[in-house]
Every structure is written in structure tokens, then in C-alpha cells.
Amino acid sequence: GAVVSQHPSRVICKSGTSVKIECRSLDFQATTMFWYRQFPKKSLMLMATSNEGSKATYEQGVEKDKFLINHASLTLSTLTVTSAHPEDSSFYICSALLAGGELEQFFGPGTRLTVL
Amino acid sequence: LAKTTQPISMDSYEGQEVNITCSHNNIATNDYITWYQQFPSQGPRFIIQGYKTKVTNEVASLFIPADRKSSTLSLPRVSLSDTAVYYCLVGPYNFNKFYFGSGTKLNVKP
């Protein structure tokens, strides 16, 4: 089956620094990827839709200057949390859309971000 | 996308069949129903998808009544490893934006 990876799996950073999270589709090309955020014991919240070669589309309430998304290739999307603060600590999950006979999203394993 | 309502949590014992129901009263004609499973600190994993009647795969069955306003995910003979959160999502066949509801936390006890 299609595999999506994320790197790093865990990251701890100091407040005010920026953190980049990578999302890769390992065995398929994904023109569309999605970024989610999940707080403890809460559901996944869609943050943005990342389309290869174009600007990301952000959900209402998500700061695009805070969460920079780049989808430079068909297998890689990156999420950069700029000037991270403790309230940005969360579980960040990406997914990639496999377009073919059936459209299906494949989720990455997630990245645990802790901002001190 | 149609809003979904699920029980917040369910308890079961190993070996039992578990049925998790999802309500989606405003489901549209071209909407499909998809279920995902999520373990702690992992991304969601696709379980099953259906449009009407019954769908079965190697891990679960999905029952959808004629009015399609609800659906039931059936997990046969659960084990401790089935303890997870189960999400029901509803949207068109080619829907790509997932708006997750609260999900159902299934706790399987020995």
C-alpha cells in the first residue's frame, strides 16, 4: 500500500525558534497533501491543503504566516512552524492524496512538537 | 460535508463483536461513508468505505440502512489491539478535505 512518512517524528525546540516538518509520499506521487493538528485527546483539525506548485489553502483561523507550507515536488510537502510558542505544541499529521481509480488519503505517522 | 455524530466512548471485552454507530442525517446523495482508525500518537488508518447496504473486508463490516442517515462499523471478535479511536467521515466519492468529528474511543478490556 501507499506509504507516507514524516520527519522528524519528535522535535523539542525553544520558544521563538522555527521548526520544519517534512511529509513524503514514498511510493506514489501526490499532487495534494494535507496538514492536520491534533491536541491531546482531541480530534484531528485540518490546517491546510497543500498543492504541488501552488500556494497552500489554509482553513479559517489558521495563520498562514505562522504555518508556512511548501509543496515543491510531487512527493514532498513541508510545514514550518515559525517563531514557535508553547501553545504550538501539538501532534502534526500530514496526509497525501492518491489519485487513481479511487481517491484515498494516506496519513503519515505524525510529528510530536514540543515547544519549551 | 455532512456532520457526523458518534458516541464518545465504548467499552468491550476481548472476543466480542463491537458495533459503532455514526449518525449523518444530512448525508447527500453522492456522499460516501468512510471509517478510519487511529492509535495514540499515530496517523489515522483507513478501515472501510461504503455507499449503501453492506460492505465487508478483512477487518470490518460496514452496514448502511436504506435511508443512509446512519452507518454502523462492525468489528468482529475484537482484541486488545483494537483499542483505538474510530472516526466516521462522510463526503463525496472524490472528497479530499477531511473534517474529523470527535470519533469514538473504543476500549477493549481483557
Side-chain angles (χ1 to χ4, degrees), chain A residues 2 28 96-107, chain B residues 34 36 45-47 49 93-95 98:
Chain A
F28 67 99
L97 188 63
L98 175 63
E102 298 178 358
L103 286 174
E104 184 176 342
Q105 279 195 44
F106 294 89
F107 288 82
Chain B
T34 309
Y36 277 80
R45 185 178 70 171
F46 174 87
I47 300 176
Q49 183 182 69
Y93 182 66
N94 61 347
F95 77 106
F98 280 3

PDB file of all heavy atoms in Angstrom, chain A residues 2 28 96-107, chain B residues 34 36 45-47 49 93-95 98:
ATOM      1  N   ALA A   2       0.200   2.378  -0.242  1.00  0.00           N
ATOM      2  CA  ALA A   2       0.898   3.648  -0.274  1.00  0.00           C
ATOM      3  C   ALA A   2       1.401   4.028   1.113  1.00  0.00           C
ATOM      4  O   ALA A   2       0.706   3.843   2.104  1.00  0.00           O
ATOM      5  CB  ALA A   2      -0.045   4.726  -0.805  1.00  0.00           C
ATOM      6  N   PHE A  28       4.442   6.871  -4.193  1.00  0.00           N
ATOM      7  CA  PHE A  28       3.472   7.415  -5.148  1.00  0.00           C
ATOM      8  C   PHE A  28       3.631   8.926  -5.194  1.00  0.00           C
ATOM      9  O   PHE A  28       4.236   9.540  -4.319  1.00  0.00           O
ATOM     10  CB  PHE A  28       2.036   7.025  -4.761  1.00  0.00           C
ATOM     11  CG  PHE A  28       1.540   7.652  -3.481  1.00  0.00           C
ATOM     12  CD1 PHE A  28       0.721   8.777  -3.502  1.00  0.00           C
ATOM     13  CD2 PHE A  28       1.877   7.097  -2.249  1.00  0.00           C
ATOM     14  CE1 PHE A  28       0.256   9.347  -2.325  1.00  0.00           C
ATOM     15  CE2 PHE A  28       1.422   7.664  -1.074  1.00  0.00           C
ATOM     16  CZ  PHE A  28       0.605   8.789  -1.105  1.00  0.00           C
ATOM     17  N   ALA A  96      -1.452  12.377   2.287  1.00  0.00           N
ATOM     18  CA  ALA A  96      -1.250  12.557   0.855  1.00  0.00           C
ATOM     19  C   ALA A  96      -2.385  11.889   0.114  1.00  0.00           C
ATOM     20  O   ALA A  96      -2.852  10.806   0.485  1.00  0.00           O
ATOM     21  CB  ALA A  96       0.089  11.959   0.432  1.00  0.00           C
ATOM     22  N   LEU A  97      -2.813  12.566  -0.934  1.00  0.00           N
ATOM     23  CA  LEU A  97      -3.946  12.074  -1.706  1.00  0.00           C
ATOM     24  C   LEU A  97      -3.450  11.255  -2.882  1.00  0.00           C
ATOM     25  O   LEU A  97      -2.697  11.751  -3.720  1.00  0.00           O
ATOM     26  CB  LEU A  97      -4.767  13.265  -2.205  1.00  0.00           C
ATOM     27  CG  LEU A  97      -6.103  12.973  -2.875  1.00  0.00           C
ATOM     28  CD1 LEU A  97      -7.044  12.314  -1.897  1.00  0.00           C
ATOM     29  CD2 LEU A  97      -6.704  14.269  -3.395  1.00  0.00           C
ATOM     30  N   LEU A  98      -3.855  10.010  -2.920  1.00  0.00           N
ATOM     31  CA  LEU A  98      -3.506   9.129  -4.024  1.00  0.00           C
ATOM     32  C   LEU A  98      -4.620   9.199  -5.044  1.00  0.00           C
ATOM     33  O   LEU A  98      -5.743   8.769  -4.783  1.00  0.00           O
ATOM     34  CB  LEU A  98      -3.336   7.684  -3.530  1.00  0.00           C
ATOM     35  CG  LEU A  98      -3.094   6.628  -4.617  1.00  0.00           C
ATOM     36  CD1 LEU A  98      -1.794   6.905  -5.350  1.00  0.00           C
ATOM     37  CD2 LEU A  98      -3.058   5.236  -4.000  1.00  0.00           C
ATOM     38  N   ALA A  99      -4.299   9.761  -6.181  1.00  0.00           N
ATOM     39  CA  ALA A  99      -5.298   9.915  -7.222  1.00  0.00           C
ATOM     40  C   ALA A  99      -5.187   8.773  -8.217  1.00  0.00           C
ATOM     41  O   ALA A  99      -4.145   8.524  -8.782  1.00  0.00           O
ATOM     42  CB  ALA A  99      -5.108  11.256  -7.937  1.00  0.00           C
ATOM     43  N   GLY A 100      -6.266   8.077  -8.394  1.00  0.00           N
ATOM     44  CA  GLY A 100      -6.258   6.964  -9.323  1.00  0.00           C
ATOM     45  C   GLY A 100      -7.675   6.515  -9.525  1.00  0.00           C
ATOM     46  O   GLY A 100      -8.579   7.320  -9.650  1.00  0.00           O
ATOM     47  N   GLY A 101      -7.918   5.242  -9.544  1.00  0.00           N
ATOM     48  CA  GLY A 101      -9.275   4.762  -9.681  1.00  0.00           C
ATOM     49  C   GLY A 101     -10.137   5.196  -8.508  1.00  0.00           C
ATOM     50  O   GLY A 101     -11.296   5.527  -8.657  1.00  0.00           O
ATOM     51  N   GLU A 102      -9.562   5.225  -7.323  1.00  0.00           N
ATOM     52  CA  GLU A 102     -10.281   5.693  -6.142  1.00  0.00           C
ATOM     53  C   GLU A 102      -9.413   6.713  -5.430  1.00  0.00           C
ATOM     54  O   GLU A 102      -8.228   6.507  -5.258  1.00  0.00           O
ATOM     55  CB  GLU A 102     -10.560   4.531  -5.187  1.00  0.00           C
ATOM     56  CG  GLU A 102     -11.430   3.443  -5.783  1.00  0.00           C
ATOM     57  CD  GLU A 102     -11.639   2.300  -4.816  1.00  0.00           C
ATOM     58  OE1 GLU A 102     -11.081   2.359  -3.711  1.00  0.00           O
ATOM     59  OE2 GLU A 102     -12.338   1.357  -5.184  1.00  0.00           O
ATOM     60  N   LEU A 103     -10.010   7.793  -5.049  1.00  0.00           N
ATOM     61  CA  LEU A 103      -9.256   8.794  -4.312  1.00  0.00           C
ATOM     62  C   LEU A 103      -9.179   8.369  -2.848  1.00  0.00           C
ATOM     63  O   LEU A 103     -10.202   8.118  -2.227  1.00  0.00           O
ATOM     64  CB  LEU A 103      -9.920  10.161  -4.425  1.00  0.00           C
ATOM     65  CG  LEU A 103      -9.773  10.858  -5.778  1.00  0.00           C
ATOM     66  CD1 LEU A 103     -10.594  12.124  -5.806  1.00  0.00           C
ATOM     67  CD2 LEU A 103      -8.315  11.183  -6.052  1.00  0.00           C
ATOM     68  N   GLU A 104      -8.000   8.275  -2.312  1.00  0.00           N
ATOM     69  CA  GLU A 104      -7.840   7.857  -0.931  1.00  0.00           C
ATOM     70  C   GLU A 104      -6.707   8.624  -0.303  1.00  0.00           C
ATOM     71  O   GLU A 104      -5.670   8.839  -0.919  1.00  0.00           O
ATOM     72  CB  GLU A 104      -7.550   6.357  -0.862  1.00  0.00           C
ATOM     73  CG  GLU A 104      -7.473   5.808   0.561  1.00  0.00           C
ATOM     74  CD  GLU A 104      -7.293   4.307   0.587  1.00  0.00           C
ATOM     75  OE1 GLU A 104      -7.563   3.644  -0.432  1.00  0.00           O
ATOM     76  OE2 GLU A 104      -6.866   3.801   1.639  1.00  0.00           O
ATOM     77  N   GLN A 105      -6.917   9.028   0.926  1.00  0.00           N
ATOM     78  CA  GLN A 105      -5.872   9.724   1.670  1.00  0.00           C
ATOM     79  C   GLN A 105      -5.075   8.726   2.492  1.00  0.00           C
ATOM     80  O   GLN A 105      -5.637   7.856   3.141  1.00  0.00           O
ATOM     81  CB  GLN A 105      -6.476  10.763   2.617  1.00  0.00           C
ATOM     82  CG  GLN A 105      -6.834  12.060   1.964  1.00  0.00           C
ATOM     83  CD  GLN A 105      -7.088  13.161   2.971  1.00  0.00           C
ATOM     84  OE1 GLN A 105      -6.348  13.338   3.933  1.00  0.00           O
ATOM     85  NE2 GLN A 105      -8.159  13.911   2.747  1.00  0.00           N
ATOM     86  N   PHE A 106      -3.764   8.878   2.459  1.00  0.00           N
ATOM     87  CA  PHE A 106      -2.883   8.079   3.283  1.00  0.00           C
ATOM     88  C   PHE A 106      -2.184   9.008   4.267  1.00  0.00           C
ATOM     89  O   PHE A 106      -1.607  10.016   3.867  1.00  0.00           O
ATOM     90  CB  PHE A 106      -1.864   7.331   2.420  1.00  0.00           C
ATOM     91  CG  PHE A 106      -2.500   6.288   1.539  1.00  0.00           C
ATOM     92  CD1 PHE A 106      -2.942   6.620   0.270  1.00  0.00           C
ATOM     93  CD2 PHE A 106      -2.675   4.996   1.992  1.00  0.00           C
ATOM     94  CE1 PHE A 106      -3.556   5.682  -0.538  1.00  0.00           C
ATOM     95  CE2 PHE A 106      -3.282   4.036   1.183  1.00  0.00           C
ATOM     96  CZ  PHE A 106      -3.725   4.387  -0.084  1.00  0.00           C
ATOM     97  N   PHE A 107      -2.255   8.649   5.524  1.00  0.00           N
ATOM     98  CA  PHE A 107      -1.745   9.511   6.571  1.00  0.00           C
ATOM     99  C   PHE A 107      -0.334   9.134   6.979  1.00  0.00           C
ATOM    100  O   PHE A 107       0.045   7.957   6.984  1.00  0.00           O
ATOM    101  CB  PHE A 107      -2.661   9.450   7.795  1.00  0.00           C
ATOM    102  CG  PHE A 107      -3.969  10.149   7.602  1.00  0.00           C
ATOM    103  CD1 PHE A 107      -5.021   9.526   6.950  1.00  0.00           C
ATOM    104  CD2 PHE A 107      -4.148  11.448   8.050  1.00  0.00           C
ATOM    105  CE1 PHE A 107      -6.230  10.176   6.755  1.00  0.00           C
ATOM    106  CE2 PHE A 107      -5.355  12.105   7.859  1.00  0.00           C
ATOM    107  CZ  PHE A 107      -6.395  11.470   7.209  1.00  0.00           C
TER     108      PHE A 107
ATOM    109  N   THR B  34     -16.879   6.755   5.187  1.00  0.00           N
ATOM    110  CA  THR B  34     -15.544   6.188   5.358  1.00  0.00           C
ATOM    111  C   THR B  34     -15.197   6.145   6.842  1.00  0.00           C
ATOM    112  O   THR B  34     -15.487   7.091   7.572  1.00  0.00           O
ATOM    113  CB  THR B  34     -14.491   7.030   4.611  1.00  0.00           C
ATOM    114  OG1 THR B  34     -14.910   7.232   3.253  1.00  0.00           O
ATOM    115  CG2 THR B  34     -13.133   6.336   4.618  1.00  0.00           C
ATOM    116  N   TYR B  36     -12.090   5.517   9.697  1.00  0.00           N
ATOM    117  CA  TYR B  36     -10.663   5.463   9.966  1.00  0.00           C
ATOM    118  C   TYR B  36     -10.434   5.046  11.416  1.00  0.00           C
ATOM    119  O   TYR B  36     -11.269   5.283  12.300  1.00  0.00           O
ATOM    120  CB  TYR B  36     -10.009   6.835   9.727  1.00  0.00           C
ATOM    121  CG  TYR B  36      -9.655   7.115   8.286  1.00  0.00           C
ATOM    122  CD1 TYR B  36     -10.625   7.528   7.381  1.00  0.00           C
ATOM    123  CD2 TYR B  36      -8.348   6.946   7.829  1.00  0.00           C
ATOM    124  CE1 TYR B  36     -10.291   7.780   6.057  1.00  0.00           C
ATOM    125  CE2 TYR B  36      -8.013   7.200   6.514  1.00  0.00           C
ATOM    126  CZ  TYR B  36      -8.987   7.615   5.638  1.00  0.00           C
ATOM    127  OH  TYR B  36      -8.656   7.862   4.329  1.00  0.00           O
ATOM    128  N   ARG B  45      -5.694   5.425  10.082  1.00  0.00           N
ATOM    129  CA  ARG B  45      -5.553   4.362   9.095  1.00  0.00           C
ATOM    130  C   ARG B  45      -6.928   4.010   8.551  1.00  0.00           C
ATOM    131  O   ARG B  45      -7.878   3.829   9.317  1.00  0.00           O
ATOM    132  CB  ARG B  45      -4.910   3.132   9.736  1.00  0.00           C
ATOM    133  CG  ARG B  45      -4.598   2.008   8.766  1.00  0.00           C
ATOM    134  CD  ARG B  45      -3.928   0.841   9.473  1.00  0.00           C
ATOM    135  NE  ARG B  45      -4.856   0.134  10.350  1.00  0.00           N
ATOM    136  CZ  ARG B  45      -4.593  -1.017  10.947  1.00  0.00           C
ATOM    137  NH1 ARG B  45      -3.419  -1.575  10.791  1.00  0.00           N
ATOM    138  NH2 ARG B  45      -5.477  -1.601  11.728  1.00  0.00           N
ATOM    139  N   PHE B  46      -7.031   3.906   7.240  1.00  0.00           N
ATOM    140  CA  PHE B  46      -8.284   3.574   6.570  1.00  0.00           C
ATOM    141  C   PHE B  46      -8.766   2.189   6.983  1.00  0.00           C
ATOM    142  O   PHE B  46      -7.989   1.239   7.045  1.00  0.00           O
ATOM    143  CB  PHE B  46      -8.063   3.611   5.051  1.00  0.00           C
ATOM    144  CG  PHE B  46      -9.236   3.141   4.241  1.00  0.00           C
ATOM    145  CD1 PHE B  46     -10.239   4.019   3.882  1.00  0.00           C
ATOM    146  CD2 PHE B  46      -9.320   1.819   3.816  1.00  0.00           C
ATOM    147  CE1 PHE B  46     -11.318   3.598   3.107  1.00  0.00           C
ATOM    148  CE2 PHE B  46     -10.389   1.385   3.047  1.00  0.00           C
ATOM    149  CZ  PHE B  46     -11.380   2.277   2.700  1.00  0.00           C
ATOM    150  N   ILE B  47     -10.068   2.099   7.305  1.00  0.00           N
ATOM    151  CA  ILE B  47     -10.642   0.805   7.639  1.00  0.00           C
ATOM    152  C   ILE B  47     -11.547   0.314   6.519  1.00  0.00           C
ATOM    153  O   ILE B  47     -11.357  -0.778   5.983  1.00  0.00           O
ATOM    154  CB  ILE B  47     -11.468   0.869   8.939  1.00  0.00           C
ATOM    155  CG1 ILE B  47     -10.614   1.314  10.124  1.00  0.00           C
ATOM    156  CG2 ILE B  47     -12.081  -0.497   9.225  1.00  0.00           C
ATOM    157  CD1 ILE B  47     -11.430   1.490  11.401  1.00  0.00           C
ATOM    158  N   GLN B  49     -14.906   1.654   3.526  1.00  0.00           N
ATOM    159  CA  GLN B  49     -15.714   2.694   2.904  1.00  0.00           C
ATOM    160  C   GLN B  49     -16.905   2.057   2.220  1.00  0.00           C
ATOM    161  O   GLN B  49     -16.795   0.951   1.668  1.00  0.00           O
ATOM    162  CB  GLN B  49     -14.888   3.477   1.878  1.00  0.00           C
ATOM    163  CG  GLN B  49     -15.629   4.637   1.214  1.00  0.00           C
ATOM    164  CD  GLN B  49     -14.764   5.335   0.181  1.00  0.00           C
ATOM    165  OE1 GLN B  49     -14.453   4.796  -0.877  1.00  0.00           O
ATOM    166  NE2 GLN B  49     -14.335   6.546   0.503  1.00  0.00           N
ATOM    167  N   TYR B  93     -17.578  10.934  -3.261  1.00  0.00           N
ATOM    168  CA  TYR B  93     -16.618   9.876  -3.565  1.00  0.00           C
ATOM    169  C   TYR B  93     -15.217  10.416  -3.726  1.00  0.00           C
ATOM    170  O   TYR B  93     -14.260   9.799  -3.322  1.00  0.00           O
ATOM    171  CB  TYR B  93     -17.037   9.138  -4.832  1.00  0.00           C
ATOM    172  CG  TYR B  93     -16.136   7.994  -5.186  1.00  0.00           C
ATOM    173  CD1 TYR B  93     -16.058   6.872  -4.367  1.00  0.00           C
ATOM    174  CD2 TYR B  93     -15.349   8.025  -6.325  1.00  0.00           C
ATOM    175  CE1 TYR B  93     -15.230   5.817  -4.675  1.00  0.00           C
ATOM    176  CE2 TYR B  93     -14.532   6.963  -6.644  1.00  0.00           C
ATOM    177  CZ  TYR B  93     -14.477   5.866  -5.823  1.00  0.00           C
ATOM    178  OH  TYR B  93     -13.651   4.816  -6.128  1.00  0.00           O
ATOM    179  N   ASN B  94     -15.108  11.581  -4.331  1.00  0.00           N
ATOM    180  CA  ASN B  94     -13.773  12.134  -4.551  1.00  0.00           C
ATOM    181  C   ASN B  94     -13.446  13.228  -3.529  1.00  0.00           C
ATOM    182  O   ASN B  94     -12.624  14.090  -3.788  1.00  0.00           O
ATOM    183  CB  ASN B  94     -13.674  12.710  -5.960  1.00  0.00           C
ATOM    184  CG  ASN B  94     -14.672  13.832  -6.177  1.00  0.00           C
ATOM    185  OD1 ASN B  94     -15.575  14.012  -5.372  1.00  0.00           O
ATOM    186  ND2 ASN B  94     -14.502  14.574  -7.247  1.00  0.00           N
ATOM    187  N   PHE B  95     -14.093  13.173  -2.377  1.00  0.00           N
ATOM    188  CA  PHE B  95     -13.821  14.225  -1.400  1.00  0.00           C
ATOM    189  C   PHE B  95     -12.427  14.057  -0.835  1.00  0.00           C
ATOM    190  O   PHE B  95     -11.945  12.962  -0.608  1.00  0.00           O
ATOM    191  CB  PHE B  95     -14.882  14.262  -0.304  1.00  0.00           C
ATOM    192  CG  PHE B  95     -14.783  13.190   0.761  1.00  0.00           C
ATOM    193  CD1 PHE B  95     -14.341  13.476   2.035  1.00  0.00           C
ATOM    194  CD2 PHE B  95     -15.199  11.892   0.482  1.00  0.00           C
ATOM    195  CE1 PHE B  95     -14.301  12.502   3.015  1.00  0.00           C
ATOM    196  CE2 PHE B  95     -15.148  10.915   1.460  1.00  0.00           C
ATOM    197  CZ  PHE B  95     -14.705  11.217   2.728  1.00  0.00           C
ATOM    198  N   PHE B  98     -10.829  16.326   4.716  1.00  0.00           N
ATOM    199  CA  PHE B  98     -11.412  15.575   5.808  1.00  0.00           C
ATOM    200  C   PHE B  98     -11.614  16.480   7.013  1.00  0.00           C
ATOM    201  O   PHE B  98     -10.662  17.032   7.548  1.00  0.00           O
ATOM    202  CB  PHE B  98     -10.487  14.425   6.207  1.00  0.00           C
ATOM    203  CG  PHE B  98     -10.570  13.218   5.311  1.00  0.00           C
ATOM    204  CD1 PHE B  98     -11.377  13.195   4.197  1.00  0.00           C
ATOM    205  CD2 PHE B  98      -9.829  12.082   5.589  1.00  0.00           C
ATOM    206  CE1 PHE B  98     -11.444  12.084   3.370  1.00  0.00           C
ATOM    207  CE2 PHE B  98      -9.891  10.969   4.779  1.00  0.00           C
ATOM    208  CZ  PHE B  98     -10.694  10.965   3.671  1.00  0.00           C
TER     209      PHE B  98
END
